Amino acid sequence: ATPRSTARQLVREALERYGLAPEEGTSGEYVLCDVVGRPGGPGGAWQVEHLRPVGDAERPLVLQDVWKPKTGCSRRFEIRRRQEVERVCEGEDAETAGEFPPSASLAVPPVPAAG
């Protein structure tokens, strides 16, 4: 990944790496999400404070470099099913906003800063 990599490119690469996108069209079912939170839930689980789907043409490494989370929080990028993210963002399921079953997201490890 480079600062010029788009969110769509990163989703496609991650899905291919984990063997989840054998067909060309499969990557459109997923979206890269910018997730800000902190550990501290039950059993040290990650607590989501803010989730934002990253636009397909946005450049996540630039986003990561320019915008820093507030003190005490950290950011991670997750690949989630587009349909579930849209449902939560539209407020259709307000009671479970930010809560997804483990199979619905794929945490992407932090990317080292380009030097």
Side-chain angles (χ1 to χ4, degrees), residues 8 12 15 20-30 82:
R8 176 166 295 285
R12 187 177 315 122
L15 292 174
L20 298 174
E23 297 98 33
E24 181 63 30
T26 306
S27 64
E29 296 176 21
Y30 296 89
R82 188 176 298 272

Side-chain angles (χ1 to χ4, degrees), residues 29-43:
E29 296 176 21
Y30 296 89
V31 63
L32 187 68
C33 294
D34 180 10
V35 183
V36 175
R38 66 182 83 217

